[in-house]
Amino acid sequence: SRGETVGNVSSVVPTEATAKDYYFDSYAHFGIHEEMIKDSVRTNAYRDSILNNKHLFEDKIVLDVGCGTGILSMFAAQAGAKHVYGVDCSGIIHSA
């Protein structure tokens, strides 16, 4: 239902956990997001790609699927997107 997350393995009976639960749980923790954001080559490549192509974002509606902390959503907004929607199934969405 709306607002629920999947991947909260700690709340699932181990015999009932699915690959989907384990996958999304792996992105529910700060550490993986910190590691990705601190990877300056990766983060700057995404930022530069978006900001150097503002014509693709200006006045557009952007859907960032698997947004995590929302860093790419913020870049899209900086590039002039009319609206940016960030969607994520992992628990990080409640902290980001």
Side-chain angles (χ1 to χ4, degrees):
S1 76
R2 186 175 184 185
E4 287 185 22
T5 59
V6 292
N8 188 357
V9 174
S10 61
S11 69
V12 176
V13 177
T15 57
E16 296 176 7
T18 65
K20 167 175 77 170
D21 293 310
Y22 286 104
Y23 174 80
F24 287 115
D25 188 59
S26 72
Y27 287 98
H29 310 284
F30 290 108
I32 187 64
H33 296 282
E34 179 182 17
E35 185 177 324
M36 288 189 287
I37 290 171
K38 284 184 174 179
D39 181 346
S40 60
V41 172
R42 175 186 178 279
T43 302
N44 292 338
Y46 279 120
R47 183 201 62 212
D48 294 345
S49 179
I50 292 170
L51 296 181
N52 289 330
N53 290 286
K54 288 183 176 186
H55 65 283
L56 298 174
F57 293 87
E58 289 175 334
D59 296 320
K60 300 289 185 353
I61 297 173
V62 174
L63 175 61
D64 183 359
V65 177
C67 66
T69 60
I71 188 83
L72 301 182
S73 297
M74 290 185 270
F75 295 154
Q78 289 175 347
K82 180 194 260 182
H83 294 284
V84 180
Y85 297 95
V87 179
D88 203 296
C89 282
S90 117
I92 195 69
I93 199 72
H94 300 291
S95 303

